[in-house]
Coordinates of all heavy atoms in Angstrom, one line a residue:
A280 N -3.1 75.2 60.2 CA -2.7 74.1 59.3 C -1.1 74.1 59.3 O -0.5 75.0 59.0 CB -3.2 74.2 57.9
V281 N -0.5 72.9 59.8 CA 0.9 72.8 59.9 C 1.3 71.6 59.0 O 0.7 70.5 58.9 CB 1.4 72.5 61.4 CG1 2.9 72.4 61.4 CG2 0.9 73.7 62.3
E282 N 2.3 71.9 58.2 CA 2.7 70.9 57.3 C 3.8 69.9 58.0 O 5.0 69.9 57.9 CB 3.6 71.5 56.1 CG 3.8 70.5 55.0 CD 4.6 71.2 53.8 OE1 5.7 71.6 54.0 OE2 3.9 71.4 52.7
A283 N 3.1 69.0 58.7 CA 3.9 68.0 59.6 C 2.8 67.0 60.1 O 1.6 67.2 60.1 CB 4.6 68.6 60.7
D284 N 3.3 65.9 60.5 CA 2.5 64.8 61.2 C 2.7 65.0 62.6 O 3.7 64.6 63.2 CB 2.9 63.4 60.7 CG 1.9 62.4 61.2 OD1 1.2 62.6 62.0 OD2 2.0 61.2 60.6
A285 N 1.6 65.4 63.3 CA 1.7 65.7 64.8 C 1.4 64.4 65.5 O 1.6 64.4 66.8 CB 0.8 66.6 65.2
G286 N 1.2 63.3 64.8 CA 0.9 62.0 65.6 C 2.1 61.5 66.4 O 1.9 60.9 67.4
D287 N 3.3 61.8 66.0 CA 4.5 61.3 66.7 C 5.2 62.4 67.5 O 6.3 62.2 67.8 CB 5.5 60.6 65.8 CG 5.8 61.6 64.6 OD1 5.4 62.7 64.5 OD2 6.7 61.0 63.7
W288 N 4.5 63.5 67.6 CA 5.2 64.6 68.4 C 5.1 64.4 69.8 O 4.3 63.8 70.4 CB 4.4 65.9 68.1 CG 4.7 66.7 66.8 CD1 5.5 66.1 65.8 CD2 4.2 67.9 66.3 NE1 5.5 67.0 64.7 CE2 4.8 68.1 65.1 CE3 3.4 68.8 66.8 CZ2 4.5 69.2 64.3 CZ3 3.1 69.9 66.1 CH2 3.6 70.1 64.8
P289 N 6.3 64.8 70.6 CA 6.2 64.8 72.1 C 5.3 65.8 72.5 O 4.8 66.8 71.8 CB 7.7 65.2 72.4 CG 8.2 66.0 71.3 CD 7.5 65.4 69.9
A290 N 4.9 65.6 73.8 CA 3.9 66.6 74.5 C 4.3 67.9 74.4 O 3.6 69.0 74.2 CB 3.7 66.2 76.0
E291 N 5.7 68.2 74.6 CA 6.2 69.6 74.6 C 5.9 70.2 73.2 O 5.6 71.4 73.1 CB 7.7 69.6 74.8 CG 8.0 69.2 76.2 CD 8.1 67.7 76.3 OE1 7.9 67.0 75.3 OE2 8.4 67.2 77.5
R292 N 6.1 69.5 72.1 CA 5.9 70.2 70.7 C 4.3 70.4 70.6 O 4.0 71.5 70.0 CB 6.3 69.2 69.7 CG 6.2 69.7 68.3 CD 7.0 71.2 68.1 NE 8.3 71.1 68.3 CZ 9.2 70.9 67.5 NH1 8.9 70.6 66.2 NH2 10.5 70.8 67.8
L293 N 3.4 69.6 71.1 CA 2.1 69.8 71.0 C 1.6 71.1 71.7 O 0.8 71.9 71.4 CB 1.3 68.6 71.4 CG 1.2 67.4 70.5 CD1 0.6 66.2 71.2 CD2 0.5 67.7 69.3
D294 N 2.4 71.2 73.0 CA 2.1 72.4 73.8 C 2.5 73.6 73.1 O 1.8 74.7 73.2 CB 2.9 72.3 75.2 CG 2.2 71.2 76.1 OD1 1.0 70.8 75.8 OD2 3.0 70.7 77.0
L295 N 3.5 73.5 72.3 CA 4.0 74.7 71.5 C 2.9 75.2 70.6 O 2.6 76.3 70.5 CB 5.3 74.3 70.7 CG 5.6 75.2 69.6 CD1 5.9 76.5 70.1 CD2 6.9 74.6 68.8

Side-chain angles (χ1 to χ4, degrees):
V281 181
E282 191 179 67
D284 187 347
D287 55 0
W288 280 4
E291 292 81 2
R292 182 56 61 90
L293 289 173
D294 287 341
L295 161 63

